Amino acid sequence: ADVTVVVVGSCMTDLVSQAPRLPKAGETVHGHKFFIGFGGKGANQCVQASRLGAKTAMVCKLGQDVFGNNYLQNFKDQGVTTDFVSQTGEAATGAASIIVNDQGENAIVIVAGANLLLDVEDLKKASLAISTARVLVCQLEITPAVSLQALKMARNSGVRTIFNPAPAAAELDPEFYSSSDVFCCNESEAELLTGFEVTDEEMAGKAAVVLLSRGCHSVIVTLGVKGCLMVSVQDATPKHIPVGSVPAVDTTGAGDSFVGALAFFMAHVPDLPLEEMARRSNQIAAVSVQAAGTQTSYPSRDALPHELFEAGSQ
Ligand code: RIB
Ligand code: NA
């Protein structure tokens, strides 16, 4: 079957320490658990879409090292097409040092490494897959110009695009907005991009309206335990979409679970209203926060209520 969701983005090896709290500058704290996982926003989103049943392809760059070799195998294990995954000897596989506290909150340092060497040549090699996909997804852990080029390639072929401007950057090429069908960010990204203090739903709504006015078709701002909020060209009144509360073990990558799920719904249940897709994606991301890690915590289709996959609104 043909690829339905293409992700052009990052892969990181996540080096995760669980500790009672995040250390302050100059401080050492005792943690209680360490593990290594497969992460990176792009790959996380791709794996979540794949678990839900999308036929996915990842366009990314790994290092020629143990982490890179293991990551390539991970994609194969997850059923992600690896035709456009390449390895370079010029830089190390991306790595993320992550600390998770007992509240499930995190602090992360990423060293993007090989991710930054993904270039326009790599996009050309994947151009057939990009232009025939149903949905293309990009983030900001690779060279921004490469993300933008991928979005434009997809757009020019009538492929729907999701752009997740993460991690947050204050300066964003305005073309990112006009190249995004769905611009999906979290509160802190919305804050950086608009200069608004996004402390509540009302401010998130105001920020979303500003982002929408920059040229995207729809904007979704994820709000953690409060679910998300959306606006679109058809209806610019902010709509809050709540989610049931769940006990959080590890919220790392919950936003990626949301974006990956959204990509799946846009590709496979395209006639569903975006609001309903967001509501279902909220539920899937809420499952992910209840287990440790990113990809390890993402639910598969068979672990979820079948209503989530029905064609009509619930
Ligand atoms: O969004 C979560 C991801 O951000 C982690 O997997 C880590 O790799 C960082 O890129
Ligand atoms: Na998790």
Side-chain angles (χ1 to χ4, degrees), residues 249-254 287-298:
V249 171
D250 185 351
T251 59
T252 314
V287 173
S288 83
V289 306
Q290 298 177 65
T294 61
Q295 293 173 28
T296 46
S297 69
Y298 293 172

Side-chain angles (χ1 to χ4, degrees), residues 82-269:
T82 56
D83 297 359
F84 316 110
V85 178
S86 58
Q87 289 182 277
T88 175
E90 305 291 307
T93 299
S97 299
I98 304 180
I99 302 166
V100 180
N101 69 14
D102 283 347
Q103 284 68 53
E105 299 164 326
N106 63 61
I108 307 181
V109 176
I110 56 168
V111 181
N115 289 296
L116 298 178
L117 298 183
L118 187 75
D119 60 23
V120 174
E121 283 307 306
D122 296 305
L123 296 182
K124 282 189 189 145
K125 289 177 197 149
S127 67
L128 183 62
I130 292 172
S131 59
T132 57
R134 296 182 197 164
V135 174
L136 176 100
V137 191
C138 288
Q139 320 72 28
L140 287 178
E141 286 182 334
I142 61 171
T143 307
V146 177
S147 288
L148 184 55
Q149 180 64 26
L151 290 167
K152 287 183 179 172
M153 281 169 72
R155 254 305 174 85
N156 290 337
S157 305
V159 176
R160 298 181 82 192
T161 56
I162 303 177
F163 178 56
N164 172 225
E171 294 302 319
L172 199 59
D173 188 319
E175 284 195 285
F176 272 109
Y177 297 99
S178 49
S179 307
S180 304
D181 283 303
V182 181
F183 187 96
C184 181
C185 64
N186 67 18
E187 294 145 298
S188 62
E189 288 143 10
E191 190 160 315
L192 253 162
L193 292 168
T194 61
F196 291 2
E197 256 183 71
V198 180
T199 44
D200 55 20
E201 283 154 39
E202 201 194 320
M203 287 310 290
K206 291 198 168 128
V209 168
V210 168
L211 295 172
L212 185 71
S213 74
R214 294 181 186 166
C216 28
H217 192 264
S218 309
V219 174
I220 297 178
V221 180
T222 58
L223 304 168
V225 296
K226 292 195 194 126
C228 65
L229 181 148
M230 67 161 279
V231 291
S232 66
V233 165
Q234 294 95 323
D235 186 356
T237 311
K239 214 169 283 165
H240 178 222
I241 306 156
V243 66
S245 74
V246 294
V249 171
D250 185 351
T251 59
T252 314
D256 299 332
S257 171
F258 182 95
V259 171
L262 186 67
F264 165 79
F265 290 120
M266 281 171 62
H268 292 269
V269 206

